[in-house]
Amino acid sequence: MRDDFSEEVKRVIAHRANLVCSNPSCGSSTGGPQDDPSKALNIGVAAHITAASPGGPRYDSTLTVEQRRSAENGVWLCQNCAKLVDNDESLFPGKLLSAWKIVREHSALTSIGQTVHSSVETEYQRKHRQILQWKGQRVMWVKMPTPQQAMTLGTRPWSSVQLTVLDCTEFYVKIKGDGWDNSRSIPMRNIEIGHDDRFDLPELLEYDR
Ligand SMILES: [Zn+2]
């Protein structure tokens, strides 16, 4: 007698994980298209956190049949990870699999409705995308003191001037002030974005770091 999951329970386990393997050091996608355009691929497994039958990995005799067959007792894994966790019970105890399930489902929940930008872009990419909108426009440029300078001179910004954003990549922002002979390129890592309320302009804060 095996307390296997029903097809419906398997489907729930899969979709609560958004079809992604719950092993945090794997995280591989388990779904996709097949060659046959009318079919979808599934290489994921609804693995039992505690085994479906006595003698199986992590079997818990205190559970009822219903509990053992419920979606709560299942963790979504790719085929490789499903084999891995059943091969060594001591390395992958039930508590660990439960933790994987919680983390994966939390991540699936928080990514619902998120755009590609908001979920995968780096800090630099985010700043790049924002500053690009101001290309050719006026911004406030604020030079911030270094920590050493701040100790002797205070944290007040050294200067705050209007200038023009000439260009921006993920790594540099090119700026030019009125009366400057040359433009300057500031590394993106030294820049924070703010807003100047007085002039209602975007603000680039330059930190020396
Ligand atoms: Zn995996």
Side-chain angles (χ1 to χ4, degrees), residues 21-23 26-28 77-81:
C21 175
S22 302
N23 178 351
C26 173
S28 74
L77 296 171
C78 71
Q79 286 169 353
N80 290 336
C81 291

Side-chain angles (χ1 to χ4, degrees), residues 113-130:
Q114 297 290 307
T115 62
V116 171
H117 279 319
S118 57
S119 58
V120 301
E121 76 179 348
T122 65
E123 180 66 16
Y124 286 13
Q125 288 168 331
R126 186 186 60 76
K127 286 195 271 189
H128 174 223
R129 194 162 50 83
Q130 217 170 347

Side-chain angles (χ1 to χ4, degrees), residues 11 19 33 38 45 49-50 69 73 79 82 86 90-91 97 117 141 147-148 156 161 167 181 192 200-201 208:
R11 198 189 63 79
L19 295 170
S38 69
V45 179
I49 294 174
T50 70
R69 301 186 67 195
N73 190 34
Q79 286 169 353
D86 282 353
S90 59
L91 264 180
L97 302 193
H117 279 319
W141 174 62
Q148 290 87 343
R156 202 165 49 84
V161 295
D167 205 356
D181 287 336
E192 298 295 337
D200 192 25
L201 282 175
D208 248 318

Side-chain angles (χ1 to χ4, degrees), residues 174-194:
K174 205 167 166 186
I175 54 171
K176 191 165 186 302
D178 303 337
W180 292 13
D181 287 336
N182 298 303
S183 61
R184 271 193 62 204
S185 288
I186 309 171
M188 190 61 96
R189 69 185 143 81
N190 287 357
I191 288 184
E192 298 295 337
I193 294 172

